[in-house]
Amino acid sequence: MKALTWQGHRKVAVVDVPDPRIEEPTDAVIRVTSTAICGSDLHLYELFGPFLDSGDVLGHEAMGVVEAVGSAVQRLHVGERVVIPFNIACGECFMCRRGLQSQCETTQVTEYGTGAALFGYTKLYGQVPGGQAELLRVPYADYNSIVLDQDLPDERYLFLSDILPTAWQAVEYAAVPDGGTLVVLGLGPVGQFAARIGRHRGYRVIGIDDVPERRELACRHGIEAWEEDDLVERVRSVTEGRGPDAVVDAVGLEAHGNPIVKAGHRALAVLPDALARPLMVHAGVDRLAALHSAIELVRRGGTVSISGVYAGDADVMPMKTMFDKQLTLRMGQCNVKRWIDDLLPLVEDPADPLGTQSLVTHRAPLAEAPALYETFQKKADGCIKVVLQPA
């Protein structure tokens, strides 16, 4: 089959790889009809090379049609249309029963002390072949699939794999009071959905991004979209001098700022893997401009909800400010299955209240994925969300 594979720093390629097969009785194999490039895929493109091998199949946002099932699969049937959550969970362990599928005790990657395995996302998360491919093997398939009953376009459903529940969880964790104000930092795909979800719930939502096309898209969905200039004073001026009730950081480790850390990231990317891995695990630092802005912006007693990915274990945080302002911080990898019952009715609503069909800016065959990785990373050509069709 054809699959998008990691080949090196800022280098991916579509190549022929062996077809996936049923390896465990609980497996299924799906033929991928749509798959997307996620903002967190850019971390692999740019930074996480020490935890990847040449030829690793990338991608963790996928949907398609079931082609084969293992002997222990009871709920899924060949021919059914499904979305595949990006985290791989058993559905039965202590964590899964508590709605913490991203911490599944069955698939945790204990070698690196990380949470549940993920599709297409490095040795840190199990090195499981991903969904930017013609076929995808799905472990624990009865649980790790969302069966679709309605004949709606793929783009209504595809984002249930990751970015839509990630945004929903970010807003849930933000704990905005009724009629409150929510600021969303970063209007990439997750930020766009977080802002729309906030509006859907009746909050005042202010989205922050320096990219004009992202602000324009947010405005079309009733979001107040601003640039970053004079941000703190401007936000306080419209929130009675206090700041917003909550801030969602939808940016993460690739925020601008701190050129020293940026240079360090570049150096790590070219170090031999044996040297880079322990440095990233034990001494990694992130560019924290977005997170520090969130802490400064939010009102006293407010909440900062982090959905952007961070990877450093040696980050310096403004603890005095956080303590003095009595802030709540909530964060974490999304627990996809936890939110599907809330989201599926909205996705299937004829009115499309969250605008699932107005997010994609670039659609292309799988063969064009390498060029679109570069386009997406550079925020060129108005690129906000890329969907690929392998078939």
Side-chain angles (χ1 to χ4, degrees), residues 12 18 72 95 97 147 164 209 211 288 312 332 340 370:
V12 294
M95 293 295 179
R97 291 196 308 271
V147 179
L164 192 49
D209 203 296
V211 180
L288 298 172
I340 294 304

Side-chain angles (χ1 to χ4, degrees), residues 197-228:
I197 290 163
R199 283 285 295 163
H200 178 72
R201 294 185 178 193
Y203 310 144
R204 179 180 187 180
V205 181
I206 301 170
I208 309 299
D209 203 296
D210 276 346
V211 180
E213 294 88 350
R214 295 182 173 194
R215 295 197 305 274
E216 290 165 10
L217 179 58
C219 286
R220 292 204 294 271
H221 289 269
I223 313 302
E224 298 175 54
W226 300 352
E227 294 182 73
E228 296 183 35

Side-chain angles (χ1 to χ4, degrees), residues 95-382:
M95 293 295 179
C96 286
R97 291 196 308 271
R98 286 156 179 80
L100 295 168
Q101 293 87 355
S102 67
Q103 310 302 320
C104 175
E105 293 177 321
T106 302
T107 71
Q108 279 178 12
V109 185
T110 54
E111 179 183 357
Y112 291 102
T114 51
L118 310 177
F119 288 104
Y121 217 79
T122 80
K123 293 179 173 72
L124 289 169
Y125 289 97
Q127 206 169 23
V128 181
Q132 290 169 3
E134 293 178 326
L135 297 167
L136 174 67
R137 181 179 75 89
V138 181
Y140 301 100
D142 271 335
Y143 190 69
N144 293 305
S145 56
I146 302 161
V147 179
L148 308 175
D149 296 324
Q150 294 195 29
D151 187 23
L152 295 172
D154 275 13
E155 286 170 23
R156 279 291 188 102
Y157 291 113
L158 175 60
F159 306 127
L160 291 171
S161 61
D162 176 1
I163 59 172
L164 192 49
T166 292
W168 188 271
Q169 178 172 293
V171 178
E172 283 281 326
Y173 283 6
V176 183
D178 290 345
T181 300
L182 173 68
V183 166
V184 177
L185 297 180
L187 291 171
V190 170
Q192 293 284 341
F193 274 142
R196 296 176 194 183
I197 290 163
R199 283 285 295 163
H200 178 72
R201 294 185 178 193
Y203 310 144
R204 179 180 187 180
V205 181
I206 301 170
I208 309 299
D209 203 296
D210 276 346
V211 180
E213 294 88 350
R214 295 182 173 194
R215 295 197 305 274
E216 290 165 10
L217 179 58
C219 286
R220 292 204 294 271
H221 289 269
I223 313 302
E224 298 175 54
W226 300 352
E227 294 182 73
E228 296 183 35
D229 294 343
D230 301 319
L231 181 58
V232 174
E233 291 307 314
R234 188 177 178 189
V235 171
R236 286 179 180 167
S237 72
V238 298
T239 54
E240 300 180 311
R242 296 188 188 95
D245 299 289
V247 178
V248 168
D249 171 5
V251 179
L253 63 85
E254 291 208 11
H256 64 74
N258 202 329
I260 295 173
V261 174
K262 184 176 181 180
H265 286 177
R266 288 176 174 170
L268 281 170
V270 298
L271 281 176
D273 290 354
L275 294 176
R277 284 177 194 156
L279 285 172
M280 290 183 71
V281 169
H282 300 295
V285 292
D286 299 303
R287 284 181 275 174
L288 298 172
L291 182 53
H292 286 184
S293 292
I295 291 165
E296 186 178 9
L297 273 169
V298 72
R299 68 163 169 81
R300 292 178 178 273
T303 301
V304 173
S305 174
I306 306 170
S307 62
V309 174
Y310 286 95
D313 266 339
D315 291 329
V316 177
M317 294 291 289
M319 293 303 299
K320 178 183 74 67
T321 299
M322 292 159 59
F323 182 84
D324 181 67
K325 292 184 73 172
Q326 200 170 332
L327 301 185
T328 297
L329 270 68
R330 294 205 67 183
M331 66 196 81
Q333 203 77 261
C334 180
N335 306 298
V336 173
K337 289 296 290 285
R338 179 173 181 172
W339 310 115
I340 294 304
D341 288 346
D342 295 308
L343 285 165
L344 196 55
L346 295 173
V347 166
E348 293 183 333
D349 185 330
D352 192 16
L354 301 183
T356 55
Q357 290 189 262
S358 65
L359 184 72
V360 178
T361 54
H362 291 66
R363 299 170 181 83
L366 184 66
E368 296 180 26
L372 286 167
Y373 260 78
E374 182 177 3
T375 299
F376 189 25
Q377 191 211 29
K378 292 180 176 178
K379 301 182 178 71
D381 192 32

